[in-house]
Amino acid sequence: MRIPSLKSFLIFVTGFASCLACIVALLFSAYFVWVKPMAANALKDARLSPPAFPRPHPAAFDFTAFGADAKQLDFKDYRGRVVVLNVWAPWCMPCMAELPSLGKLAAHYSDNQDVAVVCLSQEPTNTVFKNPASAGLGAHLYCLVGQPLPSVYKTDGIPATFVIDRKGMVVFEHVGSADWSDPSVIEFIDSLRQRSNP
């Protein structure tokens, strides 16, 4: 095998370096001529939406539900109270994961008539109340029977939780599971309780 001469090697290296320099120069030119101006225009034309601040809106109280003992719950009876309304389903794993924390929240306020924690499902009563996974969680479980969920409580997903103040306004909404027994939740609910009467 013949070893190339030093002169041939230097010519090859010089040519390779020149090609590499041309490619780098081309990339820099493309960036400054096309990419950077396009990015600047896209940023200038971007339409940003405002942050989603809580916007209180009227809650709906015109529905009834049924508990495990077939006792009817008239939601109108909760007017004037702080209500934590949770919409859930037994087939929803995030819903099942957060039910114990809603049970703890309900237990915390069990001696307080100003606060109610209601977990509402649209599934049939047999599906909800004969499900061993939902038994013994301490949450107050109810089913809607023969009526749709009021539109104010409809969301793109469940679990969905709505906090209603004493004036009948939805002041907080949360879609997704959460720890509802956290001290920050109790602090928030207590702040709603301490506001003026409805």
Side-chain angles (χ1 to χ4, degrees), residues 145-186:
V145 178
Q147 58 187 311
L149 183 71
S151 59
V152 69
Y153 305 124
K154 290 183 179 175
T155 63
D156 293 334
I158 56 172
T161 305
F162 304 84
V163 179
I164 304 167
D165 71 6
R166 300 177 70 187
K167 296 181 179 179
M169 302 294 285
V170 177
V171 294
F172 182 76
E173 298 178 22
H174 179 80
V175 178
S177 56
D179 180 4
W180 295 100
S181 61
D182 188 82
S184 63
V185 177
I186 293 169

Side-chain angles (χ1 to χ4, degrees), residues 2 23 29-30 32-33 62 82 88-89 91 109 128 143-144 170 183:
R2 187 174 169 220
I23 291 171
S29 298
F32 285 105
V33 172
D62 54 344
V82 175
W88 71 288
W91 47 260
Y109 289 107
V128 172
C143 288
L144 278 175
V170 177

Side-chain angles (χ1 to χ4, degrees), residues 25-170:
L26 185 62
L27 290 174
F28 268 99
S29 298
Y31 174 76
F32 285 105
V33 172
W34 291 301
V35 177
K36 191 175 179 183
M38 282 174 36
N41 285 338
L43 188 61
K44 184 175 72 175
D45 295 337
R47 298 198 185 277
L48 301 177
S49 58
F53 291 109
R55 293 182 181 171
H57 53 279
F61 292 89
D62 54 344
F63 67 88
T64 56
F66 293 89
D69 54 1
K71 184 178 178 182
Q72 184 170 309
L73 166 74
D74 190 343
F75 203 64
K76 290 187 180 97
D77 293 341
Y78 288 106
R79 282 188 184 275
R81 300 168 76 179
V82 175
V83 183
V84 178
L85 177 64
N86 177 263
V87 180
W88 71 288
W91 47 260
C92 164
M93 296 310 292
C95 299
M96 300 303 290
E98 76 172 356
L99 278 179
S101 71
L102 287 157
K104 289 177 184 175
L105 183 65
H108 179 81
Y109 289 107
S110 61
D111 294 330
N112 192 309
Q113 294 300 311
D114 292 336
V115 179
V117 179
V118 177
C119 300
L120 188 66
S121 177
Q122 296 179 272
E123 300 297 315
T125 54
N126 284 343
T127 305
V128 172
F129 299 123
K130 291 189 177 178
N131 180 357
S134 60
L137 295 176
H140 299 161
L141 308 180
Y142 295 93
C143 288
L144 278 175
V145 178
Q147 58 187 311
L149 183 71
S151 59
V152 69
Y153 305 124
K154 290 183 179 175
T155 63
D156 293 334
I158 56 172
T161 305
F162 304 84
V163 179
I164 304 167
D165 71 6
R166 300 177 70 187
K167 296 181 179 179
M169 302 294 285
V170 177

